[in-house]
Amino acid sequence: IIATGAKPSIPPIHNIQKNGTLLDGVYVLRTIDDGKQISSCIKNGGKATIVGAGLIGLEMADALYKKGMDVTVVELLPDILASTLDSDMCKPILKEMSEKINVYTNYLVIKAEEKEGKIKGVLIQDKETNKERQLKTDVLVIAAGTKPETMLAESIGCKIGKTGGIVVDERSGTSVKNVYAVGDCTQYSDFVTNEPLSVGLGSIVVRQGIAAGINAAGGTYNLPKGFLLTRTSKFFGIEIAAVGPVKDACQNIPVIYGKFKGSSLPEYFPGGKPISMKVGVHEKTGEVLSAQAVGYNTAQRINTFACAILSGVNVEDFKKLETAYAPPIAPTLDVVTLVCDVASLKRMRKRRIP
Amino acid sequence: IIATGAKPSIPPIHNIQKNGTLLDGVYVLRTIDDGKQISSCIKNGGKATIVGAGLIGLEMADALYKKGMDVTVVELLPDILASTLDSDMCKPILKEMSEKINVYTNYLVIKAEEKEGKIKGVLIQDKETNKERQLKTDVLVIAAGTKPETMLAESIGCKIGKTGGIVVDERSGTSVKNVYAVGDCTQYSDFVTNEPLSVGLGSIVVRQGIAAGINAAGGTYNLPKGFLLTRTSKFFGIEIAAVGPVKDACQNIPVIYGKFKGSSLPEYFPGGKPISMKVGVHEKTGEVLSAQAVGYNTAQRINTFACAILSGVNVEDFKKLETAYAPPIAPTLDVVTLVCDVASLKRMRKRRIP
């Protein structure tokens, strides 16, 4: 059973390495030792720059901000959290974060400035205007994704997929008999799009481990036909969660989206907190394909959509789901069904009018 | 569209009424006015007795306890919350509540003691030993369930079911053409057992209203084939939630139960709160039939089971549901899937060994 994990992607930043090692003050975040090293560099009022606005980058930004640092996040893509949420769901998050930290989206980090082997700043460049900007920094954390570590697997002839991961099936088996692979080093499929994916979500990795262990020992354990990609995070007081492919990953599927802004409690009960949801359904079949949520208690709400996707339930049925209601706990009709009402209406209209 | 609701059940307590009205200080809880009247009787250190340990009774007990009253709950059945949770799930709740209030289960309230038309106490009787006990009380609240109000419906010939409610179908239609009925006055089916039910859950009632409105206006809206009975409540700091029939209502179905005690967060992360879960699955088909939970954030977790029941998903698939994981939000494998692992194992054993 191969569980070699992944190594951090280091973007091509000029001058970031000296004699084959990262400059002093430049870190990646993979191991507990990485965490301890970053931790030792924290100083109140110091400047921290993070490369990458994915889940890890933003969680890191939150942690360093809470420790009193002046934090800047630089992201290559036009949006933060590109593989987690659609652009429209990110806008309010970006607005809220921008009150606490600096965020540069659509910016490339092109060069590191150093003094005696220690990071002092970075030069970043606007991808559209090519305008450059200098940022002083005491710490630079690279959170630009990972690359599957496949050296061992390749050496014994395991098939490597186009994402760079070891191709595994629903048994966590590789292309080589009696060789299994699990975790960040693997490539499996997206449940909805069927496209190959290499992901490192802990929940998935643990299940792959269960599958590989049972199958290698002669038992039978088949994973679902693909990853649902149920994911969640929390930073700057904002809880987010999602399941299924983002919009950009659904190019070949006709998807209707519904959106709804609701509250965690009935409108007449004090203390309700806002929840924004978006659901994607197949225009023709009505199957629930994806859901995204920002706000209070969204992870558990997204799990209900994960179940809907896993079981292939139709939005016309799911919108009538009887959810648990009590004034101090949840509204009469929960956001999870109201957002489906919106998607259902949009779908009905689209299918009636040619 | 008939929406006549229900009237409170008044148990046959000797002396509880005088000249056809309840004694002064004796209340039921159906309307806002009932609430206001009970509220006007609250005094710090005063004694309150509640008849019935269902959801309404215990929510009332919590409210009066919080206002500084000395609260006693008297329940006819051997367990509290008999239509919400199985006996084994109630035991820890009862233990926790008993530190704050007095609870007498298996006790009948047989007589009210009055002085000048005002309640002064009740005589209760142990159903097994017949031993009697006298309780002083300043207020008596009756929360012993409701009876559907069907006078109008009966007068126009609507069929009344064995639960006493107006029989309605999935369109909220009655047996009389163009007459619909919704809410606490109706009888519909249990999704799992197919048995007739008369329930007054707000979430159900609202959906029946939607169905009746749309269908009466010439549209088409069919409810699911029965009530899932997704329910939740919170009292004495304990959140509970459930979906599907309790054990006693499943006499004719071979059900395997799995139980699991877990935490709301991964074990290595501080702040996790306990969650007890129980799931019922069909021994032969493996379909998820019911789930019960006590502890933190259980309502939304139960909604995921509601979706599983609605879509007929098999426990062998559901136990592999990819749930949202992040250390500050939820564990790698959530309680919702771990409890299914237990049920699945028990089912496998039972089916292998004759």
Side-chain angles (χ1 to χ4, degrees):
Chain A
I1 299 174
I2 297 174
T4 42
K7 46 186 183 249
S9 283
I10 311 286
I13 301 170
H14 188 69
N15 215 16
I16 193 91
Q17 303 200 39
K18 214 167 183 176
N19 308 324
T21 53
L22 292 171
L23 289 179
D24 198 11
V26 178
Y27 302 103
V28 292
L29 182 60
R30 285 295 290 172
T31 65
I32 289 178
D33 279 341
D34 294 334
K36 284 181 181 163
Q37 283 201 299
I38 296 170
S39 202
S40 72
C41 288
I42 292 168
K43 58 176 177 185
N44 204 356
K47 285 181 186 298
T49 305
I50 292 156
V51 184
L55 291 176
I56 300 295
L58 295 186
E59 287 169 7
M60 177 52 65
D62 182 29
L64 296 178
Y65 169 78
K66 276 186 186 143
K67 295 284 183 187
M69 294 197 83
D70 175 13
V71 178
T72 300
V73 176
V74 185
E75 169 60 51
L76 180 74
L77 298 172
D79 287 302
I80 60 169
L81 296 169
S83 62
T84 305
L85 297 177
D86 291 348
S87 179
D88 54 341
M89 293 296 281
C90 287
K91 289 222 159 53
I93 301 174
L94 192 56
K95 204 181 154 200
E96 211 166 316
M97 282 196 327
S98 298
E99 290 168 15
K100 294 172 178 168
I101 62 167
N102 311 302
V103 185
Y104 293 98
T105 53
N106 235 345
Y107 265 88
L108 260 164
V109 181
I110 52 175
K111 191 181 166 189
E113 315 276 0
E114 55 107 21
K115 194 176 171 186
E116 291 164 12
K118 187 171 177 356
I119 186 90
K120 288 291 155 197
V122 285
L123 194 68
I124 64 172
Q125 188 181 45
D126 187 314
K127 275 174 69 191
E128 279 169 25
T129 63
N130 285 339
K131 205 183 140 188
E132 292 179 1
R133 224 176 230 279
Q134 208 133 16
L135 303 176
K136 284 192 179 171
T137 198
D138 302 307
V139 191
L140 183 74
V141 182
I142 295 174
T146 59
K147 282 181 187 165
E149 172 56 72
T150 58
M151 209 162 58
L152 173 63
E154 282 182 79
S155 75
I156 56 170
C158 292
K159 190 179 166 193
I160 306 299
K162 67 177 179 184
T163 69
I166 306 162
V167 175
V168 291
D169 58 21
E170 74 284 356
R171 301 173 66 246
S172 284
T174 68
S175 61
V176 177
K177 203 185 164 189
N178 292 335
V179 175
Y180 298 83
V182 302
D184 299 13
C185 60
T186 67
Q187 170 183 304
Y188 193 48
S189 306
D190 183 288
F191 190 89
V192 171
T193 66
N194 213 23
E195 291 292 321
L197 277 180
S198 188
V199 288
L201 293 171
S203 45
I204 286 175
V205 165
V206 167
R207 284 268 166 64
Q208 283 185 317
I210 293 170
I214 291 175
N215 291 318
T220 304
Y221 190 103
N222 290 328
L223 295 167
K225 71 170 173 95
F227 294 145
L228 298 174
L229 296 181
T230 320
R231 52 209 186 265
T232 184
S233 188
K234 201 175 184 175
F235 36 75
F236 302 102
I238 311 160
E239 185 173 317
I240 64 162
V243 61
V246 293
K247 196 170 187 173
D248 288 347
C250 287
Q251 308 287 1
N252 302 320
I253 305 174
V255 189
I256 298 274
Y257 291 97
K259 284 174 78 173
F260 189 79
K261 278 188 193 182
S263 175
S264 62
L265 297 181
E267 67 284 1
Y268 58 82
F269 201 87
K273 294 184 188 114
I275 300 172
S276 288
M277 285 207 89
K278 180 175 181 177
V279 63
V281 304
H282 196 291
E283 189 205 310
K284 283 168 196 148
T285 67
E287 277 181 307
V288 178
L289 303 179
S290 67
Q292 301 178 8
V294 179
Y296 183 73
N297 212 344
T298 44
Q300 293 298 331
R301 282 182 163 87
I302 283 296
N303 285 349
T304 302
F305 283 93
C307 179
I309 298 171
L310 182 72
S311 60
V313 71
N314 195 290
V315 73
E316 309 306 335
D317 295 325
F318 188 64
K319 73 179 184 183
K320 295 170 188 167
L321 182 72
E322 205 183 288
T323 55
Y325 155 60
I329 301 171
T332 331
L333 300 181
D334 198 271
V335 186
V336 299
T337 66
L338 293 172
V339 70
C340 289
D341 275 319
V342 176
S344 162
L345 268 175
K346 283 179 71 179
R347 180 171 170 252
M348 296 294 181
R349 276 188 205 139
K350 182 132 188 190
R351 290 184 68 75
R352 271 180 204 161
I353 301 160
Chain B
I1 299 174
I2 297 174
T4 43
K7 45 185 184 251
S9 283
I10 312 286
I13 301 170
H14 187 68
N15 215 16
I16 193 91
Q17 304 201 37
K18 215 166 182 178
N19 309 321
T21 54
L22 292 170
L23 290 179
D24 198 11
V26 178
Y27 301 104
V28 294
L29 181 60
R30 285 297 290 170
T31 65
I32 289 177
D33 278 342
D34 293 335
K36 283 179 181 163
Q37 282 200 302
I38 296 170
S39 202
S40 72
C41 289
I42 293 168
K43 57 175 178 186
N44 205 357
K47 286 181 186 296
T49 305
I50 292 156
V51 184
L55 291 176
I56 300 294
L58 295 185
E59 287 169 7
M60 177 53 65
D62 181 30
L64 296 177
Y65 169 79
K66 277 186 187 143
K67 295 283 184 185
M69 294 195 86
D70 175 12
V71 178
T72 301
V73 176
V74 185
E75 168 60 50
L76 179 74
L77 298 172
D79 288 303
I80 59 169
L81 295 169
S83 62
T84 304
L85 298 177
D86 290 349
S87 179
D88 54 341
M89 294 296 281
C90 287
K91 289 220 161 52
I93 300 175
L94 191 56
K95 203 180 153 200
E96 210 167 318
M97 282 195 326
S98 297
E99 290 167 15
K100 295 172 178 167
I101 62 167
N102 310 301
V103 185
Y104 293 99
T105 53
N106 235 346
Y107 264 89
L108 260 165
V109 181
I110 52 174
K111 190 181 167 190
E113 315 275 1
E114 56 107 23
K115 194 175 172 188
E116 292 163 9
K118 189 175 177 347
I119 187 91
K120 287 290 155 197
V122 285
L123 194 69
I124 65 173
Q125 187 181 46
D126 187 313
K127 276 174 68 190
E128 280 168 24
T129 63
N130 285 339
K131 206 182 138 190
E132 291 179 0
R133 221 175 232 276
Q134 207 134 17
L135 303 176
K136 282 191 181 171
T137 197
D138 303 306
V139 191
L140 183 72
V141 182
I142 295 174
T146 59
K147 283 180 184 163
E149 173 55 74
T150 58
M151 210 162 59
L152 173 63
E154 283 183 77
S155 75
I156 56 170
C158 291
K159 190 180 166 193
I160 306 300
K162 67 178 180 184
T163 69
I166 307 162
V167 175
V168 291
D169 58 21
E170 73 286 354
R171 302 173 64 245
S172 284
T174 68
S175 61
V176 177
K177 202 185 164 190
N178 291 336
V179 175
Y180 299 83
V182 303
D184 298 13
C185 60
T186 67
Q187 170 184 303
Y188 193 46
S189 306
D190 183 289
F191 190 88
V192 170
T193 66
N194 212 24
E195 292 292 321
L197 277 180
S198 188
V199 288
L201 294 170
S203 45
I204 286 176
V205 165
V206 166
R207 283 270 164 65
Q208 283 185 315
I210 293 170
I214 291 175
N215 291 318
T220 305
Y221 190 104
N222 290 328
L223 295 166
K225 71 171 175 94
F227 294 145
L228 298 174
L229 296 182
T230 320
R231 51 208 187 267
T232 184
S233 188
K234 200 174 184 175
F235 35 76
F236 301 103
I238 310 160
E239 184 173 318
I240 64 160
V243 62
V246 292
K247 197 170 187 171
D248 288 347
C250 287
Q251 309 286 1
N252 303 319
I253 305 174
V255 188
I256 298 275
Y257 291 97
K259 283 174 77 171
F260 189 80
K261 277 187 193 184
S263 175
S264 62
L265 297 183
E267 69 282 2
Y268 59 80
F269 200 87
K273 296 185 185 109
I275 300 171
S276 288
M277 285 207 90
K278 179 174 182 177
V279 64
V281 305
H282 196 290
E283 189 204 311
K284 281 167 197 150
T285 66
E287 278 180 307
V288 177
L289 303 179
S290 67
Q292 300 178 10
V294 178
Y296 182 74
N297 212 344
T298 44
Q300 293 298 330
R301 282 181 163 88
I302 283 296
N303 285 349
T304 302
F305 283 93
C307 178
I309 298 171
L310 181 72
S311 60
V313 69
N314 195 290
V315 72
E316 310 305 338
D317 294 325
F318 188 63
K319 73 179 185 183
K320 296 171 187 167
L321 182 72
E322 204 184 288
T323 56
Y325 156 59
I329 301 170
T332 331
L333 300 181
D334 198 271
V335 185
V336 299
T337 66
L338 293 172
V339 71
C340 289
D341 275 319
V342 176
S344 163
L345 268 174
K346 284 181 70 179
R347 182 170 170 253
M348 295 295 180
R349 278 188 204 139
K350 182 133 189 188
R351 290 183 69 76
R352 271 180 206 163
I353 302 157

